[in-house]
Amino acid sequence: MSTRPRILTGDTPTGRLHLGHWVGSLENRVRLQDEYDCYFLIANMHAFTTRAEKPADIRRDTLEIVKDWIAVGIDPDRSTLVLQTEIPAIAELTWYFAMLLPFNRVMRNPTLKAEIEAKGLGDHYSFGFPLYAVGQCADILAFRAELVPVGEDQLAHIEMCREVARRFDHVYCGVAPETADGDYVAKGGVFPVPEGLVGRIARLLGTDGKQKMSKSLGNAIFLGDEAGDIKKKCGKIFTGRQSPTDPGSTDNALFQYARAFFKDPARLAELAQLYTAGQIGDGAVKQEVAAAIDAFLAPIRDRRRALDGAAGDAHVLELLRAHTVRANQVAEETLYLAKAAMQLDVGRRTLGRA
Ligand code: TRP
């Protein structure tokens, strides 16, 4: 087993990934694969919290996400893919952690509240819906991960996870509550207190120029978009500028994309200068932004295409099967340590597969 510090992060299979996922988290994941022992989780159980009656969609999206990951450069030879529903330790830890969090603390979690609002769940969400936030603590802690690369919207969940880790280590391992976050394991705790890591652009705007890029808002450029889609979507980016001779502010979605995807910083500076001087129209900048995004996405699209269809599905399933074995080695060891700390130890168990 690797001695590098561990990363755990993941995505819920609710659809295709987009540029916001790239700058928020995927880029960090790809970059950190050598430095850390990386576990990337498909949160398929979480998908059931809002779509329990759509198992076929969840299965399809599960395969799609893994394909997107491989296409952007997550390397199954260096990193471990984790299918959440195949890791029993996660479900078990969720139960124990649920007892360490006050009910009202969970319900105050701002990310949960924002999701209830955004998805229009009102007061008729399932019992399991808020439970997923506790489950997310278990995802991370089952791997005793120290670092969690995520989009900004996930930081509230990471904060809750940090609280759970400290509380468990305090209650069951006798670690003093004033211990510095970095010292919990050294002081005898089972769980490290993990840190979130937000990408270089915390909040990528959508093409509407107003809200964060999101599949459900219809303002996303997907990793699999073809050149034509990209052109069309970039042509519609909202900047609020009235005329090409207006001195424009580069504090808009258009230039956010330019800063994120231009290869040539000199060209970026030049365009920004022309734009603020009112010497170039939005249309010309949009064309260059579309070209830059297309150049970035072209190799991703090609790798993605190689995984299309039934052969791609079979390949992904085979990877998931093999990686689950590896993932369970770590998660089962964690569960064993946690149960021993809770005086639940009756000896080690082994998971099998026929
Ligand atoms: N809730 C995350 C999202 O929807 C996905 C997720 C599940 C996750 N478990 C995780 C992210 C653990 C980081 C760590 O984006």
Side-chain angles (χ1 to χ4, degrees):
M1 237 177 248
S2 167
T3 54
R4 286 170 295 167
R6 283 189 287 264
I7 274 180
L8 180 122
T9 186
D11 296 302
T12 309
T14 51
R16 294 173 295 158
L17 300 178
H18 53 63
L19 293 179
H21 292 112
W22 170 258
V23 296
S25 169
L26 289 172
E27 184 179 36
N28 272 335
R29 300 182 200 175
V30 169
R31 182 171 63 84
L32 294 169
Q33 288 182 102
D34 289 321
E35 219 175 304
Y36 287 81
D37 183 17
C38 289
Y39 294 80
F40 299 124
L41 172 118
I42 305 112
N44 60 337
M45 194 180 283
H46 293 189
F48 280 85
T49 65
T50 54
R51 296 197 298 164
E53 70 295 347
K54 298 231 162 67
D57 289 6
I58 295 171
R59 186 174 180 93
R60 182 202 58 216
D61 290 342
T62 294
L63 299 177
E64 295 294 314
I65 287 224
V66 176
K67 291 178 184 184
D68 277 344
W69 284 356
I70 294 172
V72 296
I74 285 180
D75 177 1
D77 289 333
R78 284 182 289 159
S79 297
T80 302
L81 308 174
V82 184
L83 186 60
Q84 193 179 40
T85 46
E86 290 304 300
I87 314 296
I90 291 176
E92 293 176 56
L93 287 170
T94 301
W95 259 98
Y96 301 128
F97 294 160
M99 263 80 80
L100 296 178
L101 282 162
F103 180 76
N104 289 322
R105 163 68 183 93
V106 177
M107 299 315 290
R108 270 198 313 271
N109 178 315
T111 297
L112 278 186
K113 281 178 140 173
E115 243 177 307
I116 290 169
E117 175 79 28
K119 295 182 177 154
L121 301 178
D123 60 1
H124 44 265
Y125 47 81
S126 65
F127 189 83
F129 177 74
L131 185 64
Y132 101 71
V134 184
Q136 185 154 340
C137 303
D139 295 336
I140 296 166
L141 296 180
F143 293 86
R144 283 166 284 152
E146 290 174 35
L147 194 67
V148 190
V150 281
E152 192 182 37
D153 62 307
Q154 295 294 306
L155 288 178
H157 290 332
I158 310 299
E159 193 47 47
M160 219 168 77
C161 179
R162 291 159 55 79
E163 287 173 30
V164 169
R166 290 188 200 105
R167 179 126 181 91
F168 186 103
D169 288 343
H170 171 58
V171 172
Y172 298 117
C173 312
V175 180
E178 60 274 12
T179 301
D181 284 343
D183 292 341
Y184 271 73
V185 172
K187 297 280 186 210
V190 170
F191 298 110
V193 179
E195 306 233 10
L197 175 71
V198 175
R200 73 188 152 117
I201 297 172
R203 188 171 173 276
L204 191 74
L205 289 167
T207 52
D208 61 357
K210 291 181 176 140
Q211 287 184 279
K212 154 183 130 139
M213 187 174 283
S214 147
K215 183 188 63 125
S216 54
L217 295 171
N219 64 5
I221 298 175
F222 294 98
L223 299 178
D225 277 353
E226 300 288 341
D229 306 321
I230 297 168
K231 244 199 185 130
K232 219 180 289 159
K233 290 179 181 180
C234 285
K236 289 197 188 127
I237 296 170
F238 176 79
T239 64
R241 197 177 181 216
Q242 300 300 331
S243 102
T245 53
D246 271 359
S249 159
T250 58
D251 190 13
N252 59 23
L254 184 58
F255 273 89
Q256 195 188 32
Y257 298 173
R259 287 188 293 272
F261 297 105
F262 268 34
K263 281 262 160 57
D264 177 5
R267 182 61 187 154
L268 172 62
E270 195 174 2
L271 278 182
Q273 199 270 323
L274 290 169
Y275 197 81
T276 34
Q279 290 169 358
I280 191 169
D282 280 20
V285 182
K286 286 176 179 176
Q287 278 185 18
E288 288 196 41
V289 165
I293 292 176
D294 185 55
F296 167 68
L297 289 181
I300 295 175
R301 254 184 340 243
D302 289 346
R303 280 194 297 270
R304 187 69 170 68
R305 239 181 245 127
L307 292 167
D308 270 352
D313 290 357
H315 174 67
V316 167
L317 281 171
E318 194 46 51
L319 277 176
L320 289 176
R321 248 190 305 274
H323 283 217
T324 294
V325 175
R326 237 146 76 188
N328 268 323
Q329 276 167 7
V330 179
E332 283 292 303
E333 178 63 15
T334 305
L335 184 69
Y336 177 77
L337 295 171
K339 287 172 79 175
M342 297 175 78
Q343 307 191 28
L344 296 171
D345 175 22
V346 290
R348 287 179 187 272
R349 72 181 187 190
T350 49
L351 294 177
R353 190 189 285 281

